[in-house]
Amino acid sequence: MTVALRLARALGCAVDDLFVLAEPPLLEAQLALGEHWTVPIPSRVHLARIGETLVAWPVRDETGEAEGLVRERDGDRVKVELLVDPGTLERSLVLAGCDPALAMLAAHLRRWHRDLRVVWVPVGSWTALRALAQGWVHVAGTHLWDPETGEFNLPEVRRQLAGRRVAVITLSRWVEGLGLAPDNPKRIHSVDDLARPDVTLVNREPGSGSRLVLDTYLRDAGLDPGSLRGYDRELPSHRAVAEAIAGRLADAGPLALPVARSYGLSFLPLLEERYDLVVPLDFLDWPPVRDLLGLLASRPVRRELEANGYASEESGRLVTRIA
């Protein structure tokens, strides 16, 4: 106590002031897709510097490691308490897209770059492209089929990223269709069966590639989506749809084959699609992005993709550059 009194006298403050911890400085960040999130205070977020912008993404996995805590929010701007070394923000790679293979690629990449943080944001294809257009991610994954032209991804990439210089690189091909309850107890053999009163559907959100395929096939079958039981029940990811079906909360839902297989579901194939990664040309020579794309040509990654139900012959192929 004597030491504390002497120190307080030397500093010209009260003894109690010596034991008050200084508040950590707050960083201001852009909350990506802010209109989508309910962010309690405090709230855990991933943080990454993308170009000149510090971007915050809510941590949606309770086991995910956060880089910051939101302490204040004003619209799409947040003030964040940093939980990691500031240099970490420059060594964070953010991937957006619905394909669970992105999580596998992130794990491989972390083994190559021990000090790199790789954040996978599982959002639908349209939302991933929007996030890339806004400068909130480094790489966007997409599987958007254009029924009018038969092309995959390029028409929407050109629409959403008009004026941006990007490369489009194939991750893999997969089969899109309907995930069905194990052993298909309702005997669903075509899209027409979704109109039966004993069949309950679960859906993806508008803008997702899976929803686009389902809506196109329903239209071609002459079915009114509003008449389908469960059509309006929208879930945010392939995994969420698979979990609903596996848990017998629905009989069917739009899903990619690799996810259906991983949950032990039956599957009705509809369309083979190409899943692409869209990368701004400015990031192509950044070592983490360069190594991410290099992984697609590696034998271990291709074998892992094939084991999960993907076709990897085109993995790593440059589809086009858009200037």
Side-chain angles (χ1 to χ4, degrees), residues 184-249:
N184 193 13
K186 294 292 179 71
R187 299 294 178 258
I188 298 169
H189 299 296
S190 72
V191 169
D192 295 298
D193 290 328
L194 299 179
R196 287 168 22 200
D198 65 324
V199 172
T200 300
L201 181 67
V202 69
N203 210 346
R204 287 291 307 281
E205 78 282 6
S208 67
S210 302
R211 173 71 169 262
L212 174 61
V213 171
L214 176 62
D215 285 349
T216 302
Y217 274 74
L218 291 176
R219 184 180 67 243
D220 290 347
L223 296 179
D224 174 16
S227 68
L228 304 184
R229 184 179 178 189
Y231 177 87
D232 292 331
R233 184 183 174 197
E234 299 170 357
L235 296 180
S237 68
H238 288 277
R239 285 177 172 172
V241 170
E243 288 169 0
I245 299 169
R248 308 288 178 162
L249 301 176

Side-chain angles (χ1 to χ4, degrees), residues 303-317:
R303 292 183 68 179
E304 193 167 346
L305 285 170
E306 291 164 4
N308 287 338
Y310 297 84
S312 67
E313 292 86 354
E314 299 176 35
S315 297
R317 181 178 70 89

Side-chain angles (χ1 to χ4, degrees), residues 5 17 45 51 103 113 127 129 150 161 165 173-174 200 219 225 229 232-233 239 247 257 261 273 318:
L5 287 170
D17 293 339
V45 290
H113 294 269
T127 303
L129 290 177
L161 297 168
R165 300 169 63 246
R173 282 185 173 268
W174 65 7
T200 300
R219 184 180 67 243
R229 184 179 178 189
D232 292 331
R233 184 183 174 197
R239 285 177 172 172
L257 175 60
R261 284 182 56 170
E273 293 186 314
L318 175 66

